[in-house]
């Protein structure tokens, strides 16, 4: 999460990362905008697993997903949403946080500078 380097807030992804890693660690990752290796991501729960053979693991995962009953997958996803609903008003709070930062002229200047330097598209 490198948004803070741009003067922004990772408002959309932060709750997802917090769900996986815990609130404190997610905030630390967002504040520090640090690189996380594959091993670290697996250790902190950000990734489900780490492998040296990504292609083989992906093939196996895709085979398992194709073999799964589609109705059961839909039911599982619906059940997860019921068990773990998004916090009330999360989307509105995320939009407000991003809009607030985008309204700051310093953020526009920072983004323009990074664009001119070829660091962002």
């Amino acid at each position: 999460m490198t948004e803070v380097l741009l003067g922004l807030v990772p408002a959309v992804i932060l709750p997802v990362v917090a769900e996986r890693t815990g609130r404190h660690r997610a905030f630390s990752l967002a504040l520090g905008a640090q690189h996380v290796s594959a091993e670290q991501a697996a250790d902190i729960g950000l990734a489900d697993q780490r492998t040296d053979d990504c292609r083989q693991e992906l093939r196996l995962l895709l085979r398992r997903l194709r073999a799964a009953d589609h109705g059961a997958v839909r039911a599982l996803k619906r059940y997860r949403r019921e068990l773990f609903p998004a916090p009330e008003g999360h989307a509105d709070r995320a939009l407000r946080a991003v809009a607030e930062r985008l309204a700051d002229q310093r953020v526009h200047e920072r983004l323009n500078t990074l664009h001119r330097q070829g660091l962002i598209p």
Side-chain angles (χ1 to χ4, degrees), residues 38 42 47-51 57 64:
D48 292 328
Q49 64 187 35
R50 184 184 85 72
T51 181
E57 288 295 322
R64 288 192 302 267

Side-chain angles (χ1 to χ4, degrees), residues 13-67:
I13 193 65
L14 186 60
V16 176
V17 174
E19 182 180 340
R20 298 285 311 241
T21 67
R23 291 177 183 175
H24 180 76
R25 178 155 292 147
F27 179 75
S28 177
L29 290 168
L31 187 61
Q34 64 226 33
H35 172 78
V36 177
S37 69
E39 185 174 330
Q40 290 170 318
D43 288 346
I44 64 175
L46 193 56
D48 292 328
Q49 64 187 35
R50 184 184 85 72
T51 181
D52 293 326
D53 189 356
C54 294
R55 289 181 183 186
Q56 180 62 24
E57 288 295 322
L58 181 58
R59 283 187 197 103
L60 291 172
L61 174 61
L62 291 174
R63 279 191 205 125
R64 288 192 302 267
L65 290 173
R66 278 194 299 265

Side-chain angles (χ1 to χ4, degrees), residues 62-120:
L62 291 174
R63 279 191 205 125
R64 288 192 302 267
L65 290 173
R66 278 194 299 265
D69 179 80
H70 297 292
V73 170
R74 281 191 301 276
L76 178 59
K77 288 179 178 182
R78 185 175 53 250
Y79 183 60
R80 182 187 187 280
R81 283 191 306 272
E82 291 170 4
L83 283 177
F84 311 110
E88 187 69 32
H90 161 68
D92 290 337
R93 285 193 298 274
L95 286 173
R96 280 196 307 274
V98 172
E100 177 185 300
R101 296 307 306 144
L102 289 174
D104 188 328
Q105 184 59 36
R106 292 172 297 183
V107 171
H108 285 275
E109 292 167 6
R110 178 179 291 247
L111 293 172
N112 285 332
T113 298
L114 292 171
H115 177 71
R116 281 193 307 275
Q117 294 172 346
L119 297 174
I120 60 173

